[in-house]
């Protein structure tokens, strides 16, 4: 990626605030992933060899699928947050892929 052709439109205070917000969101996503993973592990170990009703099995399956979906969504959001933090560190936060300086909310 080449350097932007014009000055970054965001001031230092804005970038610092964004980084602080992203760090907080990253911590929250990491905690959600850990919580959902623990819940999923609990569901996976909750088999008793067929001594349940079919409706209970269906409910358990639905809960497992929901937990897996929540984990996948949180992991995707975590990757986006990590990318934004990397862009802040690289000095390219807010620039679009073409380096025209369109930024978020300006395209």
């Amino acid at each position: 990626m080449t350097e932007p052709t014009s000055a970054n439109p965001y001031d230092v205070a804005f970038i610092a605030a964004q980084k602080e917000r992203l760090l907080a969101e990253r911590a929250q996503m990491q905690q959600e992933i850990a919580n959902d993973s623990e819940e999923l592990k609990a569901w996976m170990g909750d088999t008793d060899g067929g001594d349940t009703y079919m409706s209970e099995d269906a409910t358990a399956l639905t809960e497992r699928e929901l937990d897996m979906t929540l984990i996948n969504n949180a992991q995707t959001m975590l990757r986006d947050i990590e990318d934004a933090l990397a862009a802040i560190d690289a000095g390219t936060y807010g620039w679009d892929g073409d380096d025209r300086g369109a930024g978020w909310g300006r395209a």
Side-chain angles (χ1 to χ4, degrees):
M1 190 159 150
T2 60
E3 288 296 316
T5 55
S6 61
N8 191 320
Y10 303 111
D11 65 16
V12 174
F14 175 79
I15 296 292
Q18 289 298 96
K19 186 170 186 174
E20 184 177 326
R21 182 182 64 84
L22 288 165
L23 289 170
E25 286 184 23
R26 179 175 66 180
Q28 179 183 348
M29 285 297 110
Q30 290 169 331
Q31 186 61 50
E32 286 183 27
I33 290 168
N35 291 345
D36 290 339
S37 294
E38 286 302 314
E39 189 172 326
L40 183 59
K41 286 178 191 175
W43 277 111
M44 293 299 192
D46 192 20
T47 57
D48 58 7
D51 195 21
T52 60
Y53 294 104
M54 288 178 62
S55 62
E56 291 173 352
D57 289 340
T59 300
L61 178 61
T62 301
E63 290 291 332
R64 287 180 211 158
E65 289 179 356
L66 176 62
D67 286 339
M68 287 188 295
T69 300
L70 291 172
I71 291 168
N72 288 336
N73 289 343
Q75 288 172 334
T76 298
M77 291 176 67
L78 183 59
R79 280 191 298 273
D80 291 344
I81 291 167
E82 293 291 347
D83 289 346
L85 288 168
I88 287 173
D89 291 341
T92 57
Y93 181 81
W95 296 103
D96 68 1
D98 294 332
D99 293 324
R100 287 179 277 151
W104 292 357
R106 293 178 169 217

